[in-house]
Amino acid sequence: MENLSALVFPNINADTLLQENSLLRALIESTRDPAIFVTDPDQGYRFILVNEAVCRHFGVSRETVLTWSPADIDPHYDPNQLLQLENYLALHKTHTFESEHALPDGRHVPVEIIVNYFEHNGKSLIVGYFRDISERRQEERRRRAEHVLQQRFRIEQQYKQVFDNLTDDFYLLDITPERRLLIVDINKISAQRLGLPAEQIVGRYLDTFLPPEKVASCYSQKLICTDTGQPYHYEENVLLNGTACIFDTTIVPIFNDQGEVYRIAGISRDITEKKRQEMEKLLREQEFRALVEHSRDVVIRYDTECRRTYANPAYLKIAHASQMEEVLHKTPLDGSVIEHNDQALYDKIKNVVNSGTAQELDIIWTDGGMEYCYEAHLIPEFDSHQHVCSVLCIGRDYSQRRHAELALQKREQEFRTLVENSPDTICRHELNGRRIYINPKIIKMSGGLSRVIINSSPLEYPGGEEGLMYHNKIKEVICSGENLEFELNWMSSKGPACSLINLVPERGSDGRINSVLAIGRDITLLKRFRQDLEHSRSQLRELVAHRERTREGERKHIAREVHDELGQQLTALSMEIQSMSVRYGKSDEAFTQQLGRIRKQLQHTISFTRNLVSRLRPGALDMGFIAALEWLVEDFKQRNRSCECRLTLNCADVNLPEDIATAVFRIVQESLTNIIRHANASQVHILLHELDSHLLLGIRDNGCGFDSKRQHSESFGLMGIKERAIMIRGELYLFSAPSKGTYIELHIPLGNTSRGIDEDSLVDCR
């Protein structure tokens, strides 16, 4: 201390200095706060002077402290940092700062330090003092915490006032150690949704208000922010009072002083209506896009400067563009594909922009040799201020309709030319039968009667039974909707006439019959020729029948003559040869051999004669029709042993007139001959069955068959069968097909009362 006084007060005498030193020592030693120290930089900043407060602060003796330097007690300072502090003090003389001391018992206490720098006789010393500021620090923390709490309370009150008046749901949730969510605050709208006063909700766990199946998912969403420390946003579906609602929810973490999330704030907004509107808008947009993108109509949007801002694929196809960018931001005048229509379209768009009213335009152009026709509808689109902001152009292709209309006009002209110059009569009837049109052919044929025919009904002309039939036929066509054909007898300017009328129903665009077209062809001469032809056919049939009767008569006569005359002569010769053999046979052996050869040749001649007589006129016919059929079957078996022939009779003996019996016999005979020649059959079955009015004769074989439509008209055997069937007025049916055999069925009238058949009676019934 004496040394310090001498250094500080060098000009004071010794007594005064001693007195002052004593006073200074008492002052320093008695001072409890602050703790005073002096360090010497030349001695490594070792303490050279400390008061009792320093010793109490560290809890050690003075001698111990005087062995330390600031680097031994302050963890923030080492010799280098002390040197920097000395340099700072040399410049600024004093420095105040806060640090901490490491006490021998292991504690660290905060301290406030004030150091001063001074020099004496070229020696630098640092004098300073420090005090323990632990209590001050605690007070500051307390005040700061109290201020934070007050500030937080004020903020929470402000927030509560705001959130209580929010239309969105707001709630505060505390996170318990068990990670359950406790409701600590809730605003009015959220309480109303839960249907309880806020006082009955606060203090209860959130899961008490949730369905059991929703607890896990709700907690997992709301606790995400506790793990990440970041706000979390999501949408959730909630069932409120039986109604499904969608809420947009944001969860915000709230931290305590230790930086831990101890509470979360949730804000939920009911976006059900918004979502519904968004879905409706999205659906409309999807429908519009689907409609536009797949529409055959051209859809283009122009801005107010007539530049394209959108074009659908239908337009890209017309413009021969592969991408929309190729046609966007261009006007109709830029690279037009619609030839001379571009200026008209441009002007129309301008008119729509200026007037705000829709416009229409027909656009016709040629591309690649094909004509295209579009009807363009220009529709203004308005913004929120009802100003035209764009123009929507919708173009519909009516090329096919135009071509169809032109073709229809052409066909109508051709039809009118055809009708006006048709050799047939053509008239149109209303549904009540009244004629509303007659062509020139009717006028020419009817002469002066044309004035009577037009605007008349069939009941008025031709009237009578023919007119009534005509009128009923029109009604029948109207009811059935089908064409109908009939013959009509009427009176022309040249006398009675007959027309073949074809009634055709005419339908409107709705598919209903609105008129009946009558097309008539004059068949007066045709009917006359037909009658003459029928008369000629009848005469021809009579002639054929007469020829067949004559032929059969001649056959019968020849057979009788051959049998009676030639047979007797041959028999006489046979007897003469027998007599010669008896008389001269023994005298000459050579003569006997010659007589044997003559006898053998004569027997062949007699056999041939008998066969000839049978072919011309089988003797069995004289014994009855049934006997003749039996003989014919036996004869077939003898001549064709590889084919089985069977006769089935389902009737007693039938008495037929001789000419009919002969014709039927010849039909069966010709059929069997055809079977032998062409059928290559292994089985033949002949059936004769008697019915009430006719006999049924059937002949069936299992041969190769044939195409009856192609072959029977060229077969003379079948033609002969047909002619004989016509002669006896029978009905003949033929059934045959390749590999299916052949069946011939003949209906023979009893009493010869059947009407007979015409030349088409031989029908194919496969």
Side-chain angles (χ1 to χ4, degrees):
M1 184 64 71
E2 290 82 356
N3 294 334
L4 179 61
S5 299
L7 292 173
V8 177
F9 306 109
N11 297 322
I12 301 178
N13 58 38
D15 293 336
T16 304
L17 182 60
L18 180 62
Q19 182 180 0
E20 291 180 351
N21 282 343
S22 177
L23 180 61
L24 182 59
R25 178 184 295 275
L27 177 62
I28 293 173
E29 290 295 336
S30 62
T31 300
R32 297 182 60 86
D33 189 27
I36 301 173
F37 63 90
V38 179
T39 63
D40 185 359
D42 294 337
Q43 299 182 31
Y45 300 99
R46 186 176 59 80
F47 293 111
I48 59 173
L49 177 65
V50 294
N51 67 349
E52 187 63 25
V54 174
C55 297
R56 287 196 305 272
H57 176 73
F58 290 105
V60 297
S61 64
R62 189 188 306 272
E63 289 75 11
T64 302
V65 175
L66 293 178
T67 63
W68 295 346
S69 72
D72 296 325
I73 63 174
D74 195 331
H76 299 286
Y77 284 90
D78 56 19
N80 291 331
Q81 291 171 325
L82 290 175
L83 179 59
Q84 293 176 5
L85 179 61
E86 179 186 1
N87 294 333
Y88 179 85
L89 290 175
L91 181 62
H92 297 89
K93 303 306 179 182
T94 185
H95 180 51
T96 302
F97 62 94
E98 292 183 359
S99 184
E100 65 176 359
H101 286 165
L103 302 184
D105 59 4
R107 292 184 298 117
H108 287 70
V109 295
V111 293
E112 182 184 52
I113 304 173
I114 301 175
V115 292
N116 296 286
Y117 176 85
F118 68 94
E119 295 179 355
H120 178 69
N121 293 331
K123 186 175 181 62
S124 298
L125 295 176
I126 297 176
V127 179
Y129 65 87
F130 64 85
R131 60 167 51 94
D132 186 351
I133 60 173
S134 300
E135 294 181 357
R136 190 178 75 183
R137 286 279 183 89
Q138 291 178 356
E139 180 64 19
E140 287 176 354
R141 285 197 296 270
R142 187 189 64 78
R143 290 179 179 177
R144 190 163 51 249
E146 183 178 352
H147 176 73
V148 169
L149 290 175
Q150 292 176 353
Q151 188 70 16
R152 182 182 297 170
F153 179 75
R154 287 195 298 271
I155 292 174
E156 288 180 354
Q157 290 299 315
Q158 293 173 358
Y159 285 164
K160 184 173 180 59
Q161 184 177 2
V162 171
F163 290 136
D164 278 344
N165 294 282
L166 282 177
T167 57
D168 299 336
D169 292 357
F170 172 76
Y171 45 86
L172 287 175
L173 304 173
D174 270 351
I175 304 174
T176 66
E178 299 83 12
R179 292 180 67 83
R180 293 184 68 184
L181 299 176
L182 183 68
I183 302 175
V184 295
D185 197 4
I186 190 169
N187 67 344
K188 294 179 181 178
I189 188 68
S190 185
Q192 290 175 1
R193 293 191 193 279
L194 293 176
L196 293 173
E199 296 79 10
Q200 297 182 21
I201 298 175
V202 173
R204 298 173 64 178
Y205 288 105
L206 178 63
D207 50 46
T208 60
F209 297 97
L210 298 174
E213 65 275 8
K214 293 287 187 179
V215 173
S217 61
C218 179
Y219 269 55
S220 64
Q221 289 176 327
K222 288 181 168 51
L223 291 176
I224 287 177
C225 65
T226 64
D227 301 328
T228 63
Q230 299 293 328
Y232 177 65
H233 176 264
Y234 64 94
E235 292 181 2
E236 59 181 338
N237 296 317
V238 179
L239 190 64
L240 293 177
N241 299 323
T243 303
C245 301
I246 304 175
F247 281 85
D248 182 85
T249 301
T250 300
I251 301 297
V252 180
I254 301 176
F255 301 89
N256 57 17
D257 294 338
Q258 288 75 34
E260 300 172 345
V261 179
Y262 78 102
R263 177 177 290 180
I264 58 176
I267 301 176
S268 297
R269 174 171 295 177
D270 187 355
I271 59 171
T272 306
E273 182 62 23
K274 178 183 176 182
K275 280 291 184 180
R276 186 188 65 79
Q277 294 176 357
E278 289 178 353
M279 289 300 296
E280 290 181 353
K281 182 179 179 182
L282 177 62
L283 182 60
R284 288 195 299 270
E285 289 179 353
Q286 291 176 344
E287 291 174 347
F288 174 77
R289 181 166 294 277
L291 178 64
V292 169
E293 294 295 330
H294 298 88
S295 174
R296 295 183 180 179
D297 296 339
V298 171
V299 180
I300 311 171
R301 179 173 280 117
Y302 294 94
D303 61 14
T304 54
E305 299 299 325
C306 301
R307 295 185 297 254
R308 299 184 196 94
T309 59
Y310 172 78
N312 72 334
Y315 177 75
L316 299 182
K317 183 178 179 181
I318 292 177
H320 306 293
S322 58
Q323 297 179 353
M324 190 181 300
E325 288 72 14
E326 299 178 24
V327 298
L328 293 183
H329 312 301
K330 295 181 181 179
T331 70
L333 302 178
D334 299 329
S336 174
V337 297
I338 56 176
E339 299 177 346
H340 57 278
N341 300 279
D342 48 7
Q343 186 64 51
L345 177 59
Y346 183 87
D347 294 340
K348 284 286 186 181
I349 297 172
K350 278 294 186 183
N351 289 339
V352 173
V353 173
N354 296 331
S355 65
T357 57
Q359 302 276 342
E360 293 184 358
L361 176 67
D362 280 346
I363 302 175
I364 302 175
W365 79 97
T366 303
D367 185 10
M370 294 187 62
E371 183 183 61
Y372 294 91
C373 308
Y374 276 76
E375 51 183 10
H377 300 269
L378 303 172
I379 304 170
E381 296 181 308
F382 301 92
D383 58 17
S384 58
H385 303 290
Q386 295 303 308
H387 296 153
V388 177
C389 60
S390 59
V391 176
L392 191 66
C393 176
I394 303 175
R396 176 157 295 177
D397 184 2
Y398 70 96
S399 304
Q400 293 184 353
R401 187 182 70 195
R402 174 180 169 83
H403 298 159
E405 289 175 352
L406 293 176
L408 180 60
Q409 293 176 3
K410 182 179 179 181
R411 286 196 298 271
E412 286 181 352
Q413 184 64 33
E414 293 173 350
F415 175 75
R416 182 168 293 278
T417 301
L418 177 64
V419 169
E420 297 295 332
N421 297 279
S422 174
D424 297 334
T425 61
I426 300 175
C427 70
R428 179 173 282 115
H429 294 270
E430 289 183 336
L431 298 184
N432 59 6
R434 187 175 68 89
R435 298 180 180 91
I436 57 177
Y437 171 79
I438 58 175
N439 72 335
K441 181 65 175 179
I442 296 180
I443 297 175
K444 182 178 179 180
M445 291 180 64
S446 60
L449 292 174
S450 60
R451 293 188 296 272
V452 178
I453 295 175
I454 189 66
N455 295 323
S456 68
S457 71
L459 295 175
E460 298 167 337
Y461 182 86
E465 294 183 359
E466 294 290 328
L468 179 61
M469 177 194 68
Y470 192 169
H471 188 75
N472 292 335
K473 294 292 185 182
I474 294 176
K475 287 184 178 181
E476 185 177 345
V477 169
I478 295 173
C479 294
S480 66
E482 302 291 338
N483 293 13
L484 191 146
E485 191 175 77
F486 65 98
E487 292 183 4
L488 176 69
N489 296 310
W490 60 292
M491 183 62 67
S492 70
S493 59
K494 297 180 180 180
C498 180
S499 294
L500 180 65
I501 306 296
N502 186 16
L503 298 179
V504 182
E506 295 183 305
R507 302 178 185 272
S509 58
D510 57 356
R512 296 182 178 180
I513 298 175
N514 51 27
S515 60
V516 176
L517 193 67
I519 304 173
R521 175 161 295 181
D522 187 3
I523 60 172
T524 306
L525 292 178
L526 181 62
K527 286 198 68 174
R528 191 176 303 160
F529 293 153
R530 185 181 295 172
Q531 291 173 356
D532 293 343
L533 180 60
E534 288 296 330
H535 181 67
S536 298
R537 285 181 175 177
S538 178
Q539 288 181 337
L540 182 60
R541 292 193 192 101
E542 292 296 334
L543 180 61
V544 170
H546 176 72
R547 184 197 64 183
E548 287 297 324
R549 287 193 295 271
T550 303
R551 181 183 297 176
E552 289 296 333
E554 290 177 352
R555 285 177 175 176
K556 183 177 179 180
H557 175 71
I558 293 172
R560 184 174 291 115
E561 290 295 326
V562 170
H563 181 272
D564 293 342
E565 297 296 331
L566 183 59
Q568 290 180 8
Q569 295 295 331
L570 291 174
T571 302
L573 285 174
S574 178
M575 292 175 64
E576 288 294 332
I577 291 172
Q578 184 68 28
S579 176
M580 291 177 66
S581 176
V582 171
R583 181 177 297 180
Y584 304 109
K586 296 180 180 181
S587 61
D588 190 349
E589 184 178 354
F591 180 71
T592 303
Q593 292 178 355
Q594 186 175 6
L595 286 176
R597 288 193 297 271
I598 294 173
R599 186 185 298 109
K600 187 175 182 180
Q601 186 66 34
L602 184 60
Q603 290 296 330
H604 284 300
T605 303
I606 293 173
S607 177
F608 172 77
T609 303
R610 289 175 179 172
N611 289 336
L612 178 61
V613 170
S614 296
R615 296 293 180 270
L616 290 174
R617 172 71 176 181
L621 279 174
D622 296 329
M623 295 183 291
F625 178 66
I626 301 298
L629 288 181
E630 292 175 343
W631 175 87
L632 195 59
V633 170
E634 290 299 326
D635 182 69
F636 178 85
K637 291 179 180 180
Q638 293 295 326
R639 290 190 294 145
N640 191 10
R641 296 185 179 276
S642 62
C643 181
E644 178 186 355
C645 185
R646 182 161 53 94
L647 175 64
T648 301
L649 300 174
N650 294 331
C651 59
D653 194 10
V654 180
N655 294 321
L656 291 176
E658 182 179 359
D659 55 343
I660 294 178
T662 303
V664 175
F665 178 84
R666 295 300 182 188
I667 289 174
V668 177
Q669 189 179 43
E670 183 64 32
S671 299
L672 294 176
T673 302
N674 287 338
I675 292 173
I676 294 174
R677 291 178 179 177
H678 309 294
N680 193 25
S682 61
Q683 292 181 354
V684 178
H685 183 204
I686 301 174
L687 169 68
L688 184 65
H689 184 63
E690 184 178 4
L691 301 175
D692 294 337
S693 60
H694 64 276
L695 285 176
L696 173 62
L697 174 66
I699 306 171
R700 183 187 303 275
D701 68 71
N702 64 347
C704 59
F706 59 91
D707 187 346
S708 58
K709 286 187 176 181
R710 297 182 57 185
Q711 296 186 18
H712 76 265
S713 61
E714 301 175 359
S715 173
F716 291 105
L718 291 178
M719 290 175 62
I721 293 174
K722 175 182 176 182
E723 289 297 331
R724 287 186 172 90
I726 294 174
M727 184 180 67
I728 64 174
R729 302 184 182 275
E731 296 179 357
L732 183 68
Y733 301 93
L734 174 65
F735 304 81
S736 185
S739 303
K740 300 294 184 180
T742 303
Y743 176 61
I744 296 177
E745 183 174 287
L746 176 64
H747 294 187
I748 307 164
L750 295 176
N752 200 23
T753 58
S754 179
R755 60 174 176 81
I757 56 175
D758 59 16
E759 291 185 355
D760 296 327
S761 297
L762 186 59
V763 297
D764 174 26
C765 301
R766 288 176 293 173

